[in-house]
Amino acid sequence: MIKDKEAFQRLSFLYQAAHCVLAQNPDNQELARFYCHTQNSISRRLVLRQDPSVKRTICKSCFSLLVPGVSSTVRQRKRRNQRRTVVRCLNCGLTKRFLSNPDYKLWSEQPEAWLENHTLASEGAKGQTPSPVQQPLKSSATEKATDLSAKPCGHPASEETAVGTKSREKGPSGK
């Protein structure tokens, strides 16, 4: 289960809202900057790590959304036999440089990172045989996660407590 799922949804909403604002009216960069600044302050306050692709599209200095041709310029440079992508913010002038190596992968994209997370989860489950009571609870939790997107007014905490009370009522003694 993802910790702070609601916070990640809020961060995603703010990022998408900033993109929509710039797509509809490129002159309204202040509102997009406000959304990005709010997103950054929430992630810092709750100590949440953002995806590198999101962090690369936000200026660290002025928090404006770096959209090529609208709020930034993108250039390809070659220096010392290394290709680099240089992104320059048009609001504050900050430049970001990224390697353009097509074979390079971020750690989160490498299979070792996924394998490490998978083995940690499976090690925690070793030696434990899931009881029949626990299996329906897991399936109802996944159904609940898919139903939450359909119900914007539902609060997940109240539904989790309802699921937890149902599982407690049906204990191992079958009462």
Side-chain angles (χ1 to χ4, degrees):
M1 179 139 207
I2 299 173
K3 180 184 171 188
D4 296 327
K5 182 179 177 183
E6 291 178 3
F8 278 114
Q9 289 175 347
R10 189 178 333 152
L11 293 176
S12 176
F13 174 78
L14 289 170
Y15 185 71
Q16 291 175 13
H19 270 286
C20 288
V21 164
L22 281 182
Q24 289 179 356
N25 186 6
D27 295 332
N28 199 0
Q29 291 187 11
E30 290 297 320
L31 184 58
R33 188 181 300 170
F34 172 74
Y35 289 151
C36 292
H37 181 69
T38 306
Q39 174 191 4
N40 191 16
S41 64
I42 290 170
S43 66
R44 277 187 295 154
R45 186 180 63 222
L46 298 176
V47 192
L48 299 174
R49 299 187 74 179
Q50 294 183 8
D51 192 57
S53 62
V54 172
K55 291 195 293 187
R56 286 182 176 189
T57 58
I58 297 175
C59 180
K60 285 185 176 183
S61 177
C62 65
F63 299 107
S64 64
L65 193 64
L66 299 175
V67 177
V70 177
S71 59
S72 68
T73 58
V74 179
R75 300 280 187 247
Q76 297 291 323
R77 301 280 185 220
K78 188 172 182 182
R79 196 176 224 194
R80 298 184 197 133
N81 295 331
Q82 289 183 343
R83 291 184 299 175
R84 295 182 184 268
T85 302
V86 179
V87 180
R88 185 171 191 261
C89 178
L90 295 177
N91 293 322
C92 65
L94 183 81
T95 59
K96 290 185 169 192
R97 296 173 190 87
F98 305 109
L99 285 176
S100 298
N101 185 0
D103 298 328
Y104 180 76
K105 290 185 180 179
L106 294 171
W107 171 251
S108 60
E109 296 171 352
Q110 292 180 357
E112 293 89 25
W114 292 103
L115 183 63
E116 185 176 282
N117 291 337
H118 181 67
T119 55
L120 289 176
S122 64
E123 285 176 3
K126 282 183 182 177
Q128 295 178 356
T129 56
S131 65
V133 176
Q134 290 176 346
Q135 288 176 349
L137 182 62
K138 287 182 183 178
S139 64
S140 65
T142 56
E143 290 171 3
K144 176 187 62 128
T146 56
D147 290 340
L148 284 179
S149 60
K151 299 178 188 177
C153 300
H155 192 274
S158 62
E159 292 178 14
E160 286 175 4
T161 55
V163 171
T165 54
K166 288 178 187 175
S167 64
R168 283 189 212 127
E169 290 172 1
K170 297 178 184 177
S173 60
K175 292 182 181 178

